[in-house]
């Protein structure tokens, strides 16, 4: 058997070209087989189709059709975020230009744990992260795998800045990764502040900050996962300043509003934070992963510094080779910054801002459709691009059953959220190609699914 070709090196591009044709053809065939936003039949049916395509996981001899067969199976069995009827989660359809850039990153395979593995990628990352941090009103940023890692890093930096001890104070609406990060870091149980109407209550926060001994770490949210709501950031920032308390803002969802001239003001107060979570594989149209943690005090990043002679020997650093180990708690690390940099340069602020404006506008249009339909109830006007709604006379069991039926039939992918003690269907509009008639069709599918239920 001949040695398989490599993706890079002199022969790399020529080796990739026919394989890319295979992948693209398989993606098309898989999409056609799926025939909609989601594979029909439920978990057992999907697993059976995957098992049929996979066969023997580690055969004695290789299968030359493996690439086509498994890409086809994955495409046929995937939720398609580019389908306007796939709106359940903060699961964006990635831009083609970003996906193409990600291919280059995979082919070249730089690893950002030492300069001699990633000379150009490390320079690119340094420049782009500083620019994105300044966009948020902060000084520098680290690339992360997403909101969960960013939130954990923010709490780690706070713990070390306070000599090893800090207590998390967050709203009942905060992302689950924050209390989990406190547990992972061995910190006290978080203090949870009420979040009536889905946002943190400043009066209750003031009371807690007055009564609690420090040091404290307040985490606010700009774009909740359930309804896309934004905490009152200016008030929270003012309270943190008055009480001398560290402020973190989880803007994994809402951070994309910074790109829009029309919507940027909704994030007033962001610049007062010590740390900010950003996540461009949500409202930034990047392939996973594309997270960042922006920081106001870059010197605090020294807490991540490690010395490993094979990666950042003292004499290499003194000779001018950049030391990358303090830029992440991870060691091997792919250049996720490339796809972000390509997108920023290719579309510019105005191009990306237009995408943000489009999805926010489509969400408002969908909310208006719901509000005007006598058979549905709207939770509230969307703050970003998430719309919560439910059949007007349905109980929670019916709402849950309607959602699962649409999934099982592969017709639509809707999320779920519990607010005000009731279960709501959730549509998060992240596809800028969504049209008004797509939204009307989505509402009609829900209506028909409810009518088809027995009783």
């Amino acid at each position: 058997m001949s040695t398989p070709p490599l993706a890079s090196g002199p022969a790399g591009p020529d080796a990739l070209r026919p394989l890319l044709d295979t992948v693209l053809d398989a993606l098309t065939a898989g999409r056609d087989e799926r025939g909609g936003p989601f594979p029909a039949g439920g978990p057992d049916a999907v697993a059976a189709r995957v098992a049929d395509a996979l066969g023997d996981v580690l055969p004695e001899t290789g299968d030359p059709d493996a690439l086509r067969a498994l890409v086809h199976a994955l495409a046929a069995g995937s939720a398609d975020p580019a389908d306007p009827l796939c709106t359940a989660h903060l699961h964006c359809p990635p831009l083609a230009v970003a996906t193409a850039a990600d291919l280059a990153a995979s082919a070249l395979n730089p690893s950002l744990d030492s300069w001699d593995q990633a000379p150009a990628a490390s320079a690119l990352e340094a420049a782009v992260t500083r620019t994105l941090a300044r966009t948020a009103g902060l000084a520098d940023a680290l690339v992360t795998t997403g909101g969960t890692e960013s939130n954990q890093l923010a709490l780690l930096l706070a713990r070390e800045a306070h000599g090893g001890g800090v207590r998390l104070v967050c709203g009942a609406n905060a992302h689950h990764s924050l209390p989990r990060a406190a547990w992972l870091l061995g910190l006290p149980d978080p203090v949870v502040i009420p979040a009536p109407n889905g946002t943190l209550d400043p009066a209750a926060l003031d009371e807690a900050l007055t009564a609690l001994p420090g040091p404290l770490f307040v985490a606010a949210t700009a774009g909740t996962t359930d309804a896309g709501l934004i905490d009152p950031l200016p008030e929270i920032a003012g309270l943190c300043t008055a009480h001398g308390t560290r402020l973190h803002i989880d803007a994994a969802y809402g951070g994309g509003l910074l790109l829009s001239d029309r919507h940027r003001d909704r994030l007033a107060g962001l610049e007062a934070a010590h740390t900010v979570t950003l996540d461009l594989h949500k409202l930034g149209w990047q392939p996973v992963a594309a997270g960042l943690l922006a920081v106001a005090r870059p010197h605090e990043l020294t807490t991540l510094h490690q010395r490993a002679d094979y990666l950042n020997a003292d004499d290499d650093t003194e000779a001018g080779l950049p030391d990358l180990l303090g830029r992440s708690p991870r060691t091997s690390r792919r250049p996720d910054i490339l796809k972000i940099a390509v997108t920023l340069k290719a579309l510019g602020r105005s191009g990306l801002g237009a995408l943000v404006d489009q999805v926010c506008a489509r969400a408002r249009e969908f909310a208006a459709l719901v509000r005007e339909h006598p058979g549905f109830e709207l939770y509230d006007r969307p703050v970003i691009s998430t719309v919560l709604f439910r059949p007007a006379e349905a109980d929670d069991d019916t709402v849950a059953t309607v959602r699962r039926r649409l999934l099982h039939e592969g017709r639509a992918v809707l999320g779920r959220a519990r607010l005000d003690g009731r279960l709501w269907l959730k549509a998060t509009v992240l596809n800028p190609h969504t049209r008004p008639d797509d939204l009307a069709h989505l509402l009609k599918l829900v209506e028909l699914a409810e009518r088809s239920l027995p009783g």
Side-chain angles (χ1 to χ4, degrees):
M1 177 181 176
S2 61
T3 304
L6 301 176
S8 59
D14 288 335
L16 279 172
R17 281 191 182 93
L19 297 176
L20 291 179
D21 285 340
T22 298
V23 166
L24 296 174
D25 289 345
L27 288 172
T28 300
R31 178 205 63 200
D32 292 345
E33 179 183 316
R34 187 180 65 240
F38 198 76
D44 289 344
V46 173
R49 291 193 290 267
V50 170
D52 183 59
L54 184 59
D56 187 351
V57 175
L58 186 61
E60 185 63 31
T61 58
D63 179 359
D65 194 41
L67 178 64
R68 184 208 59 80
L70 293 181
V71 171
H72 181 134
L74 185 68
S78 288
D80 182 3
D83 191 299
L85 302 179
C86 186
T87 64
H89 300 286
L90 290 164
H91 178 200
C92 73
L95 292 165
V97 71
T99 305
D102 220 23
L103 169 65
S106 294
L108 294 168
N109 208 29
S111 183
L112 281 148
D113 48 322
S114 66
W115 182 84
D116 59 359
Q117 298 175 80
S122 61
L124 186 67
E125 182 176 274
V128 175
T129 51
R130 283 195 299 268
T131 296
L132 288 170
R134 287 196 293 268
T135 300
L138 280 77
D140 198 0
L142 302 180
V143 176
T144 70
T145 55
T148 294
E149 184 186 355
S150 294
N151 287 340
Q152 184 174 341
L153 268 176
L155 197 48
L156 171 64
L157 295 180
R159 186 190 72 177
E160 297 307 299
H162 289 289
V166 71
R167 191 171 191 184
L168 169 64
V169 179
C170 63
N173 61 337
H175 194 262
H176 64 84
S177 62
L178 281 157
R180 184 167 65 179
W183 169 70
L184 285 169
L185 293 170
L187 299 175
D189 289 340
V191 176
V192 179
I193 305 298
N197 303 315
T199 57
L200 189 150
D201 180 3
L205 177 62
D206 188 23
E207 185 177 328
L209 296 182
T210 301
L212 291 168
L216 302 172
F217 173 95
V218 172
T221 306
T224 59
T225 54
D226 53 9
L229 305 179
I230 298 175
D231 286 339
L233 303 181
E235 291 180 72
I236 293 170
L239 288 172
C240 289
T241 298
H243 288 277
T245 302
R246 191 178 180 98
L247 173 62
H248 170 68
I249 298 177
D250 178 0
Y253 177 14
L257 298 178
L258 290 168
L259 301 167
S260 165
D261 292 338
R262 184 176 303 171
H263 298 292
R264 188 181 304 135
D265 289 348
R266 296 184 188 184
L267 297 182
L270 199 73
E271 70 286 347
H274 292 76
T275 48
V276 173
T277 289
L278 302 170
D279 203 344
L280 294 175
H281 59 244
K282 293 182 171 65
L283 203 60
W285 298 280
Q286 298 299 294
V288 175
L292 297 113
L293 177 69
V295 298
R297 301 171 178 174
H299 68 271
E300 292 184 348
L301 298 179
T302 56
T303 194
L304 300 176
H305 178 74
Q306 292 289 317
R307 179 65 66 192
D309 191 71
Y310 75 107
L311 295 173
N312 60 350
D314 286 338
D315 57 314
D316 277 349
T317 303
E318 290 167 5
L321 300 189
D323 180 354
L324 306 183
L325 280 188
R327 302 294 299 178
S328 175
R330 292 174 284 151
T331 304
S332 297
R333 187 163 63 85
R334 75 190 304 272
D336 287 315
I337 201 66
L338 175 62
K339 61 197 174 195
I340 298 172
V342 167
T343 301
L344 296 177
K345 190 166 182 62
L347 275 72
R349 182 191 290 274
S350 63
L352 283 163
L355 298 183
V356 172
D357 293 345
Q358 284 172 241
V359 297
C360 290
R362 291 294 88 77
R364 291 195 300 272
E365 291 169 8
F366 185 54
L369 284 175
V370 173
R371 186 173 53 246
E372 294 163 6
H373 194 299
F376 286 94
E377 180 181 353
L378 177 69
Y379 175 75
D380 203 353
R381 180 183 173 87
V383 174
I384 306 177
S385 67
T386 297
V387 180
L388 301 185
F389 67 106
R390 52 183 283 145
E393 303 301 326
D395 58 21
D396 285 357
D397 287 343
T398 299
V399 172
T401 301
V402 165
R403 173 181 173 272
R404 287 193 293 270
R405 171 162 290 199
L406 291 171
L407 281 176
H408 185 84
E409 295 174 352
R411 294 180 181 274
V413 191
L414 287 164
R416 53 185 289 159
R418 187 170 293 279
L419 274 87
D420 293 345
R422 294 194 294 166
L423 186 65
W424 299 83
L425 296 172
K426 178 174 68 171
T428 302
V429 183
L430 290 179
N431 185 348
H433 292 279
T434 298
R435 302 165 302 179
D437 57 334
D438 295 320
L439 301 173
H441 183 47
L442 177 60
L443 199 59
K444 187 66 175 179
L445 287 172
V446 175
E447 184 180 22
L448 293 174
E450 187 202 8
R451 287 180 184 174
S452 70
L453 297 180

